[in-house]
Amino acid sequence: PGHWPDADMLPLGHIGIRAERGQPRMSRLTRDEQHTLMTLRSVARSPLMFGGNLPDNDDFTLSLLTNGEVLAVNQHAVSSRQLFARGNQVAWVAEMPRSKARYLAVFNTGDAGEVVAVQWSELGLPAKCVLRDLWGRQDIGAVEGGHGFKLAPHASMFLEVSPAPR
């Protein structure tokens, strides 16, 4: 009562400050796992309640919390849903009002590298699309038909997939 469960907090950065259990420490999640956590919470439009000590964070943690493109999906996307779950491969998709783009999050939940393949038709998009890496804040370019995303264990990618201009 009157207390937010730890499961709702983002365990990123410097955590455990004045904790009920354990000592103050940095998150035990790898960088890939931290990206994966933020990607899933953002594409699913889940609340982003930070569980760390903000003044003590490193640049990487701050980059997770301040990426405007990722936060825009969390705050403004609609129709967020799981696209598929195929063994250790999972994909989610979301849309933005008044946009033809789709926001695609692909995940490797396994302990070995995987290639997660997505066809643009699964997203309701034409054969030729332009990709943008939201975490990298960079354009990838035009890709025909679909793409196989090579992911390390517990890793993810978060992309904007837009119909290519004609």
Side-chain angles (χ1 to χ4, degrees):
H3 163 259
W4 289 98
D6 292 339
D8 289 338
M9 300 293 240
L10 294 169
L12 305 172
H14 192 196
I15 60 176
I17 311 303
R18 294 180 295 282
E20 295 172 12
R21 297 173 302 278
Q23 298 297 313
R25 61 179 169 78
M26 293 303 283
S27 174
R28 290 189 180 124
L29 299 175
T30 67
R31 285 188 174 205
D32 281 343
E33 290 167 341
Q34 291 177 67
H35 269 129
T36 293
L37 175 63
M38 281 296 291
T39 298
L40 181 58
R41 295 288 293 258
S42 295
V43 75
R45 301 203 58 224
S46 296
L48 299 177
M49 296 182 296
F50 182 64
N53 186 22
L54 199 53
D56 292 342
N57 285 313
D58 56 13
D59 289 340
F60 175 75
T61 302
L62 291 176
S63 76
L64 293 172
L65 303 173
T66 60
N67 184 309
E69 294 177 66
V70 171
L71 294 175
V73 176
N74 175 264
Q75 298 298 304
H76 304 291
V78 296
S79 301
S80 296
R81 63 200 178 278
Q82 183 176 302
L83 184 64
F84 62 75
R86 302 173 185 148
N88 294 326
Q89 302 177 8
V90 178
W92 275 67
V93 64
E95 300 171 22
M96 201 64 77
R98 298 174 299 284
S99 172
K100 293 181 181 178
R102 300 290 185 268
Y103 292 86
L104 174 66
V106 290
F107 304 94
N108 174 7
T109 62
D111 293 329
E114 297 260 353
V115 176
V116 181
V118 180
Q119 298 301 310
W120 305 149
S121 59
E122 293 178 272
L123 304 175
L125 292 172
K128 190 171 184 182
C129 290
V130 177
L131 304 183
R132 179 168 176 79
D133 176 355
L134 298 183
W135 284 116
R137 299 180 186 184
Q138 62 185 1
D139 294 330
I140 295 172
V143 178
E144 189 82 30
H147 190 68
F149 301 96
K150 186 176 181 180
L151 299 176
H154 308 165
S156 61
M157 283 194 76
F158 203 8
L159 304 127
E160 178 182 37
V161 184
S162 305
R166 294 183 175 203

